């Protein structure tokens, strides 16, 4: 195998390119040291928070520097045998940086929400687990060989399971267990799919897999049966990473786990984990297996259609806020997946456009979802029913908490795709474009119907905010972390609505 | 006149249209935020905002004159989302100007109306904010010249109108036996409204995107100049199917109209006026602005089906009006019939038909606006709109309201000399002429025209039935004899609509001269049958 030739050479490492991944790692080390020195001192609690935030901010700064550089560069390379170019395990491209930026911003908001919650009573484990999961998600965005991808994927998944269990009650344990079972089962599928890919193409590096499966008639072609093995691998990979995005039929963990997890962790699962899931999917399929798009794109189409429809239909019947959000994230995952079904083999521009639409929708969704979760966290901490509060708790909230209500109303409008949530509307336009371009009318029809399904529950919830309510008008004292999270995510929704180019104009260059 | 136009152009440039659209939207947001504002002040603020908006609309239509060439004027084009090719493109021509004026006028009337006539459930501040947002969204729909922006503007009115229906709608319906409150009925009506229209606009979006991807532009002006060039027949038919079906929901055409009767009936008076007068026009305007010029071949293929559903709507709604007991619902149903004439005129793809459609659009807005205002006043006084419970003798009991109702009904049945006459006449003439191999309706044109004529007769019968039941008769037979007549305020609100109905009835060329050149341009570029 080609890979063997790389083992006897020392890999050169460009630390600058890895800066975004290293930021959280450094913070983890610092927090563990601090915890070892003196976990009992009260002043250390804030120091833990500061270190975790600094780790994420450092990673964000690394991303910004690389964006300012504007170059596409790779590191951790092995030289190719003969005439081949070296193959690299880590690549910094617009795709990498976009996904990393999204992960970092989402993780920051979740961290800010978490610091005042019950789950973060034990600062060190909570922050370490979260930062490690973030590290996994960040490296996943840059990983370009199968081994790095699978390690990064598990680094992103396993700490998230422990985070769910941090609530330390029966529902938390059940949620974590459900997620653990799904993750382990999915890992099996993922590894099987990757094994088939390595078997059929003889390489673990994505660039070599791309070349092996290219449909260019000038290059040597794989034989039909070998191609079929690779195609089976692609489908298994799709099944293996589908759970991370809560795609039907791997979504079943979502409602139980969201309801069992501390609310900020549910937000983390809905944004950071989903981004990691999409990163894995995009890196493996559109980037790694564009030649097999004829196989995986229709499968994604079916999965996306089922996911968006099923998620919406069940969400309509939910009354508990966090369960409604859980099912709504299932539906939204379907929206994220829909454009990928428009990828076609042999047309890199179509694959690129489909991926850009997918990532663009995810950006819009992440902003709106974080804003909605911020308000749910704030309400959950002050409502007698705590994290299991029903959406009836929001009746008349506009009178009591005008700012939080405005943010929630705007976020719901964005999720529903209704003005004034222009970014949600534009995101729907972005999703429809590749589908219509590929003339998949059945998918376009299903998507159009689902626009309406979604409205039912988002509007119902939004209307409650403005319904007249009886009872005392209490003003809440919102903590700094909550306030920052609420303000930042709300501002992001508004900013993206004014400037939807940020959602519509992603990944303008070659997809790598 | 040209002096004024130049002066306006010099002061505002082409920004007058975005300002006109933005002003009511911004004030609506301010009214929602300003929680300390009393309802008295809020309604006055809304009324003055609507008035300023209307003045801007008048100034814009003057500046856009004289509409001789049918060209787009007052254009403003700024890039917004370059990745999608979407621009802030505003413009106005003879097709949009009358609708902009109608929207501006109805906006003033509903806001002024709420200065004195307050909703029973209170919170008039938020209600007028909803009205202003609807007006802003409708003005945006009539002035944007970009397909994606058009879609956004189309959606803009959904949320405020949903709130108007769900929160301030009819509270007389029973929620459960013996438990009035109307919450269930209001929610049902509001949800039906938003769900139907949203799926309509989603389908329209699919069609628009298909056209945009095939031609590489979302600019409605450029697309109209292309007039289907470079789009194969199949592409045009597919796109036209999506767009026409999507817009028919809003118009509404028969079959997808079922959201309309509950929404119009349950909505508060101002909401009904805006729904009938403004929102329905967005659907027909979209057909004239998007489907006819951009997809001439495709629309020609789809037109017979559209015309079929239009005449079905005319006849079915007319027959339903025969037996309808609720006066407000009856007027809502008659809207389906009236909009059927508009759809029929558009489907004919003849200059007469299109002119008639645009004329009937405006006439329907004026007349139905008047009827909803009057019936709203009657309903407020009788706490019901049931014809039997309102009872006979309105002419004697409440002469002013009675005469307003009679005037509206007579105008609605298309009496010559009033606005309702010309639009439907021209639509029928256009349909009659749309016959032969090269026409859009072919052999079906003349039968459709005949059925439409029957529809006008039905309209006369059901409106005369209404007058016989409640206008005529002895006041002594009425169950509620003593109700106050229209206040001076209510008469003042209704008066502009009466004046405009008479003016357009006697001087139809005021409007026909405006739309004529634009219609010719639309049909010439689309190669329609002359």
């Amino acid at each position: 195998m080609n890979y063997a030739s790389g083992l006897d050479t020392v890999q050169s490492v460009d630390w600058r390119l890895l800066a975004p991944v290293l930021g959280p790692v450094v913070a983890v080390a610092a927090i563990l040291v601090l915890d070892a020195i003196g976990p009992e001192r009260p002043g250390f609690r804030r120091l833990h928070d500061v270190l975790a935030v600094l780790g994420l901010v450092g990673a964000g700064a690394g991303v910004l520097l690389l964006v300012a550089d504007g170059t596409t560069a790779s590191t951790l390379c092995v030289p190719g045998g003969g005439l081949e170019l070296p193959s690299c395990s880590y690549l910094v491209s617009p795709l990498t940086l976009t996904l990393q930026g999204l992960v970092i911003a989402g993780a920051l908001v979740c961290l800010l929400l978490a610091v005042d919650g019950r789950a973060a009573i034990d600062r060190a484990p909570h922050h370490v687990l979260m930062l490690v999961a973030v590290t996994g998600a960040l490296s996943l965005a840059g990983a370009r060989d199968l081994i790095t991808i699978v390690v990064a994927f598990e680094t992103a998944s396993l700490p998230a399971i422990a985070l769910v269990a941090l609530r330390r009650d029966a529902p938390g344990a059940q949620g974590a267990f459900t997620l653990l079972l799904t993750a382990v089962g999915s890992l099996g599928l993922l590894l099987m799919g990757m094994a088939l890919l390595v078997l059929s193409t003889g390489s673990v590096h994505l660039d070599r897999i791309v070349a092996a499966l290219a449909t260019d008639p000038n290059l040597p072609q794989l034989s039909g049966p070998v191609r079929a093995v690779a195609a089976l691998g692609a489908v298994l990979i799709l099944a293996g990473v589908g759970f991370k995005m809560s795609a039907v039929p791997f979504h079943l963990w979502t409602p139980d786990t969201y309801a069992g997890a501390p609310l900020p962790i549910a937000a983390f699962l809905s944004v950071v984990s989903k981004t990691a899931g999409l990163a894995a999917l995009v890196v493996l399929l559109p980037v790694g297996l564009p030649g097999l798009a004829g196989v995986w794109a229709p499968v994604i189409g079916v999965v996306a259609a089922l996911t968006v429809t099923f998620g919406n239909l069940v969400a309509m019947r939910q009354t508990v806020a966090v369960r409604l959000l859980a099912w709504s994230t299932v539906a939204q995952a379907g929206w994220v997946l829909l454009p990928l079904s428009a990828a076609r083999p042999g047309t890199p521009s179509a694959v690129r456009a489909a991926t850009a639409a997918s990532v663009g929708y995810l950006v819009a969704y992440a902003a709106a979802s974080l804003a909605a979760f911020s308000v749910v966290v704030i309400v959950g901490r002050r409502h007698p029913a705590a994290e299991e509060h029903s959406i009836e708790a929001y009746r008349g909230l506009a009178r009591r908490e005008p700012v939080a209500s405005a943010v929630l109303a705007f976020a719901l409008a964005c999720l529903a795709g209704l003005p004034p949530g222009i970014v949600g509307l534009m995101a729907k336009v972005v999703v429809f474009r590749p589908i219509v371009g590929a003339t998949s009318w059945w998918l376009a029809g299903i998507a159009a119907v689902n626009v309406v399904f979604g409205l039912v529950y988002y509007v119902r919830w939004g209307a409650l905010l403005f319904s007249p309510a009886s009872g005392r008008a209490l003003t809440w004292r919102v903590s700094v972390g909550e306030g920052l999270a609420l303000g930042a995510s709300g501002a992001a929704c508004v900013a993206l609505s004014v400037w939807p180019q940020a959602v519509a104009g992603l990944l303008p260059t070659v997809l790598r | 006149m040209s002096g004024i136009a130049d002066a306006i152009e010099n002061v505002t440039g082409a920004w007058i249209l975005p300002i006109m659209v933005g002003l009511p939207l911004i004030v609506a947001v301010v009214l929602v935020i300003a929680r300390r504002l009393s309802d008295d002040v809020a309604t006055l603020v809304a009324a003055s905002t609507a008035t300023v908006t209307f003045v801007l609309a008048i100034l814009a239509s003057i500046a856009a004159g004289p509409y001789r060439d049918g060209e787009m004027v007052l254009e403003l084009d700024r890039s917004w989302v370059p990745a999608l090719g979407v621009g802030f493109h505003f413009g106005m021509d003879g097709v949009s100007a009358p609708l902009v004026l109608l929207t501006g006028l109805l906006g003033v009337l509903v806001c002024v109306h709420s200065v004195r006539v307050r909703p029973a459930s209170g919170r008039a501040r938020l209600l007028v904010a909803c009205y202003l947002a609807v007006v802003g969204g409708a003005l945006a729909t009539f002035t944007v010249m970009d397909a994606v922006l058009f879609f956004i503007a189309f959606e803009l009115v959904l949320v405020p109108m949903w709130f108007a229906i769900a929160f301030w709608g009819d509270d007389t319906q029973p929620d459960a036996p013996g438990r009035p409150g109307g919450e269930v009925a209001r929610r049902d009506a509001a949800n039906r409204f938003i769900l139907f229209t949203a799926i309509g606009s989603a389908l329209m979006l699919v069609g628009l995107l298909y056209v945009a991807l095939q031609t590489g532009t979302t600019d409605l002006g450029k697309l109209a100049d292309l007039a289907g060039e470079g789009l194969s027949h199949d592409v045009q038919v597919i796109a036209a199917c999506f767009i026409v079906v999507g817009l028919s929901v809003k118009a509404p055409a028969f079959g997808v109209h079922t959201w309309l009767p509950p929404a119009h009936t349950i909505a508060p008076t101002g909401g009904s006026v805006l729904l009938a007068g403004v929102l329905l026009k967005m659907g027909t305007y979209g057909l004239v602005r998007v489907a006819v010029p951009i997809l001439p071949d495709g629309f020609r293929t789809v037109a017979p089906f559209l015309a079929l559903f239009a005449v079905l709507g005319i006849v079915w709604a007319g027959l339903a009006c025969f037996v309808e007991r609720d006066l407000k619902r009856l007027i809502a149903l008659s809207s389906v019939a009236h909009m059927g004439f508009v759809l029929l005129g558009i489907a004919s793809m003849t200059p007469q038909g299109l002119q008639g459609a645009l004329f009937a659009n405006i006439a329907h807005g004026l007349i139905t606006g008047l009827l909803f205002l009057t019936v709203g006043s009657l309903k407020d006084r009788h706490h019901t709109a049931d014809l039997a419970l309102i009872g006979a003798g309105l002419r004697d009991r409440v002469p002013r309201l009675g005469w307003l109702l009679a005037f509206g009904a007579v105008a609605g049945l298309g009496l010559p000399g009033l606005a309702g006459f010309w639009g439907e006449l021209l639509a029928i003439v256009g349909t009659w002429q749309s016959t032969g191999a090269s026409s859009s309706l072919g052999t079906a044109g003349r039968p459709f025209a005949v059925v439409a004529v029957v529809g006008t007769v039905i309209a006369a019968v059901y409106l005369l039935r209404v007058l016989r039941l409640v206008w005529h008769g002895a006041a002594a037979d009425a169950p509620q004899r003593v109700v106050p007549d229209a206040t001076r305020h209510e008469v003042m609100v209704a008066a502009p609509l009466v004046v405009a109905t008479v003016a357009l009835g006697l001087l139809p060329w005021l409007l026909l001269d405006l739309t004529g050149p634009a219609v010719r341009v639309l049909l010439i570029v689309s190669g329609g049958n002359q």
Side-chain angles (χ1 to χ4, degrees), chain A residues 21 56 83 103 127 143 148 248 279 283 291 320 369 388 418 512:
Chain A
V21 182
L56 290 175
L83 295 172
V103 165
H127 290 0
T148 313
V248 171
V283 166
V320 175
S369 180
E388 290 277 349
L418 276 180
R512 287 184 68 187

Side-chain angles (χ1 to χ4, degrees), chain A residues 62-104:
Chain A
V63 169
L64 287 180
L65 282 177
L66 291 170
V67 168
D69 254 14
T71 51
T72 298
S74 43
T75 183
L76 302 174
C77 302
V78 291
L83 295 172
E84 287 177 48
L85 292 168
S87 292
C88 302
S89 297
Y90 189 90
L91 177 79
V92 173
S93 69
L95 176 69
T96 309
L97 294 175
T98 310
L99 290 170
Q100 286 182 338
L102 191 55
V103 165
I104 292 166

Side-chain angles (χ1 to χ4, degrees), chain A residues 251 255 310-312 314-315 318 323-331 457:
Chain A
H251 66 287
F310 194 67
N312 273 330
V314 183
Q318 302 301 314
R323 285 187 182 266
L324 192 152
L325 273 181
W327 283 104
S328 117
T329 67
V330 174
Y457 54 94

Side-chain angles (χ1 to χ4, degrees), chain A residues 462-485:
Chain A
L464 273 177
L465 294 171
F466 302 97
S467 296
S470 53
R472 296 164 297 152
L474 295 169
T475 338
W476 293 333
R477 188 176 287 277
V478 174
S479 74
V480 178
E482 292 166 347
L484 279 176

Side-chain angles (χ1 to χ4, degrees), chain A residues 140-165:
Chain A
L140 196 50
R144 291 297 181 272
D145 79 59
L146 296 180
I147 293 169
T148 313
I149 289 170
V150 81
V151 171
F153 190 73
E154 290 310 307
T155 314
S157 298
L158 296 177
I161 300 170
L163 280 172
V164 172

